[in-house]
Amino acid sequence: TTTELETEFERIVQSDQRIEPRDWMPDGYRKTLIRQIAQHAHSEIIGMQPEGNWLTRAPSLRRKAILMAKVQDEAGHGLYLYSATETLGVDRAELTANLIEGRQKYSSIFNYPTLSYADVGVIGWLVDGAAICNQVPLCRSSYGPYGRAMIRVCKEESFHQRQGFELLMTMMSGTQGQRDMVQESVNRWWWPALMMFGPPDDRSPNSAQSMAWRIKRHTNDELRQRFVDMSVPQAEVLGVTFPDPDLAWNAERGSYDFGEPDWDEFMQVVKGNGATSVERIANRRAAHENGAWVREAAAAFAARTAGSEKE
Ligand code: FAQ
């Protein structure tokens, strides 16, 4: 009976075991997972664009090889996550259509332009840093395919974060012009990076249920705080500052106090009014349309091969 299935589902979740694709799950659980994992996959795919913008202008062969590997990893993460979403009974083609027709979201962070080469380093350091902070707990997510995907994704994100930090360390030990370029980039990315964790807890409609289902393991504000605490000492090592006059060590809490991100800006970006929102989707749509012949050829080849096997 449904009650028995529900009890079994609850038992699995509450004992920190995993729900697998063939297990019974409540409709809301399935819907929430499809929403979150698809959004995550779309973010990886759209997230290739801001850094991809600098591939042809990387300052050395070494930097170009590193950046190319990173952008390819992001494609891999996206495909991996689309596969995890497919285990919930949706079709990948449908997910792509949802993205290019604006029915599903992707992370706010990828709606900002990459204006200088320092942005490549700052995205690695802060954006991948925030991604890791958010994703390490997701390795323990109650849905098996998602949790397992996160383990591999996090390993690669750690490399991404380190390459960003190393790039910035190199620039910070260069000329004054290079140091200024890094600081200017940090000034633009700091607040958007904090927004990646989502709205404040009292305005996060999905958090309570997602935590009860152990899809999410921490609230948005908890992870944002963790990220601030982890980033401040790293900024000190680099020799940059964050553009927040309220940032200060709070000895009582054993954490940094910090200012409020501009949540109106966040809402605007999430609604599709970010500086590069239109461009990002237009590029994704064009790539999809330009790839139609590849899909057709692959399907025709598969059909022919299947036919010849029968003969
Ligand atoms: N942007 O109730 P909540 C990467 C939406 S890292 C846009 O708090 P939830 C790596 C949210 O969907 C980035 N929308 O929602 C990389 C919901 O709308 P809905 C991807 C946002 O799900 C690095 C509404 O606001 N990472 O790609 C954002 O419980 C460098 C209310 O929010 C992930 O997706 C936002 N920032 O918590 C790649 C991680 N925040 O759907 C390339 C997995 C919230 O009801 C280069 N996801 N919204 O219409 C999560 O952990 C969660 O989904 C949160 C949001 C924490 C993002």
Side-chain angles (χ1 to χ4, degrees):
T1 65
T2 314
T3 335
E4 274 164 358
L5 291 168
E6 271 168 12
T7 311
E8 177 60 4
F9 170 84
E10 278 304 322
R11 188 195 63 76
I12 295 174
V13 169
Q14 297 312 322
S15 60
D16 275 335
Q17 287 172 285
R18 249 105 194 237
I19 301 295
E20 296 298 338
R22 287 188 182 83
D23 292 342
W24 183 89
M25 59 187 87
D27 280 349
Y29 180 81
R30 187 184 298 276
K31 270 196 199 127
T32 297
L33 281 167
I34 292 174
R35 178 184 66 78
Q36 176 165 329
I37 309 174
Q39 239 167 59
H40 195 163
H42 297 328
S43 303
E44 298 280 357
I45 297 297
I46 295 287
M48 296 166 75
Q49 293 184 39
E51 291 162 287
N53 180 37
W54 286 91
L55 275 172
T56 55
R57 290 172 288 170
S60 68
L61 180 62
R62 177 172 172 269
R63 290 293 171 199
K64 184 168 175 150
I66 295 171
L67 186 55
M68 202 129 65
K70 181 180 191 286
V71 173
Q72 284 176 359
D73 284 352
E74 285 154 8
H77 297 171
L79 299 184
Y80 218 58
L81 287 165
Y82 281 132
S83 298
T85 325
E86 284 189 314
T87 66
L88 292 156
V90 284
D91 184 68
R92 167 132 160 245
E94 192 183 319
L95 296 174
T96 302
N98 287 342
L99 171 65
I100 58 187
E101 282 155 29
R103 286 191 297 270
Q104 273 175 340
K105 299 187 169 81
Y106 59 91
S107 181
S108 51
I109 192 74
F110 304 117
N111 292 306
Y112 293 86
T114 41
L115 303 179
S116 82
Y117 186 70
D119 288 3
V120 170
V122 171
I123 288 176
W125 175 39
L126 293 180
V127 175
D128 285 280
I132 293 167
C133 207
N134 165 268
Q135 285 166 29
V136 164
L138 294 175
C139 295
R140 294 186 295 118
S141 183
S142 59
Y143 188 57
Y146 192 36
R148 288 189 290 273
M150 282 299 104
I151 294 173
R152 171 167 177 178
V153 168
C154 283
K155 284 184 184 158
E156 294 182 350
E157 303 283 30
S158 301
F159 154 67
H160 295 172
Q161 201 264 356
R162 293 304 295 250
Q163 70 80 36
F165 193 80
E166 191 263 354
L167 190 166
L168 296 178
M169 276 301 251
T170 307
M171 287 185 81
M172 290 305 287
S173 55
T175 63
Q176 188 57 43
Q178 286 175 301
R179 280 190 287 277
D180 293 345
M181 208 191 274
V182 173
Q183 183 62 58
E184 187 274 336
S185 173
V186 170
N187 291 348
R188 276 184 290 112
W189 289 97
W190 174 246
W191 291 110
L194 293 188
M195 293 174 196
M196 285 175 71
F197 295 91
D201 292 350
D202 57 5
R203 276 180 272 167
S204 163
N206 301 300
S207 277
Q209 183 61 73
S210 288
M211 301 230 336
W213 278 329
R214 302 202 180 178
I215 295 173
K216 279 167 84 161
R217 313 293 309 220
H218 304 280
T219 72
N220 299 353
D221 285 332
E222 280 165 13
L223 293 173
R224 195 171 2 256
Q225 178 73 62
R226 191 180 284 187
F227 176 68
V228 171
D229 290 345
M230 155 185 132
S231 299
V232 174
Q234 295 174 3
E236 281 163 8
V237 171
L238 269 178
V240 296
T241 56
F242 293 131
D244 179 359
D246 297 325
L247 191 63
W249 177 247
N250 182 326
E252 224 168 274
R253 289 200 305 121
S255 266
Y256 285 90
D257 290 335
F258 58 99
E260 196 67 34
D262 181 346
W263 294 115
D264 292 335
E265 175 183 313
F266 172 77
M267 289 316 296
Q268 282 304 316
V269 172
V270 170
K271 269 194 241 156
N273 300 326
T276 62
S277 306
V278 172
E279 178 190 327
R280 299 282 186 245
I281 292 297
N283 285 340
R284 182 67 195 89
R285 178 188 289 276
H288 184 67
E289 286 168 1
N290 292 336
W293 69 272
V294 180
R295 291 187 294 279
E296 281 160 23
F301 181 74
R304 203 177 61 193
T305 318
S308 67
E309 269 166 12
K310 269 185 226 135
E311 275 159 21

